[in-house]
Amino acid sequence: MKYIVFWEYEPKEIDKAIKKLVAFREEIKKSPEKYAKPVTPNYTMSVGFKGFQLFEADNPEQLARMVLHYRPEVKFEIVHITETKKTMKLYDESK
């Protein structure tokens, strides 16, 4: 399943958030199966201290591990996403 993961942190927490990002990338190298797989680069948005990244996960625990790693400095919103083409097919099949 694919997800868009929005993230946000307080400006005063930037140094802590960056340290956690570096540590997280190292942890993924050691145990990639424990974490959701990034599908895109990490993007920073021009409004506030926010951004997003697309991930693919086999189970929700892979995303939960990421969220727990970054707490309390980073807040997340995780939204399941589906290709419109697939959604349209499911819609047609449901008629």
Side-chain angles (χ1 to χ4, degrees):
M1 295 180 77
K2 291 187 178 138
Y3 300 87
I4 184 166
V5 177
F6 295 96
W7 51 265
E8 179 177 7
Y9 60 87
E10 293 294 326
K12 65 183 178 184
E13 302 291 354
I14 189 169
D15 291 329
K16 290 179 185 176
I18 289 171
K19 285 180 184 176
K20 286 193 171 188
L21 174 62
V22 171
F24 187 69
R25 288 180 175 164
E26 288 302 314
E27 182 60 32
I28 289 173
K29 287 179 188 176
K30 293 177 194 172
S31 304
E33 72 285 350
K34 287 184 167 183
Y35 300 96
K37 178 184 170 191
V39 176
T40 65
N42 219 345
Y43 290 96
T44 301
M45 299 187 300
S46 62
V47 292
F49 293 82
K50 301 176 182 184
F52 69 92
Q53 189 169 11
L54 299 182
F55 285 90
E56 192 165 349
D58 297 324
N59 63 64
E61 289 83 12
Q62 291 174 311
L63 293 163
R65 283 186 189 96
M66 179 178 67
V67 171
L68 290 170
H69 173 84
Y70 282 99
R71 282 192 178 170
E73 289 81 16
V74 181
K75 298 175 192 171
F76 291 93
E77 179 181 354
I78 300 172
V79 180
H80 173 256
I81 57 175
T82 307
E83 282 184 63
T84 302
K85 182 168 94 174
K86 290 180 183 179
T87 304
M88 298 283 293
K89 183 180 176 192
L90 289 171
Y91 174 73
D92 286 341
E93 290 171 0
S94 70
K95 291 181 182 179

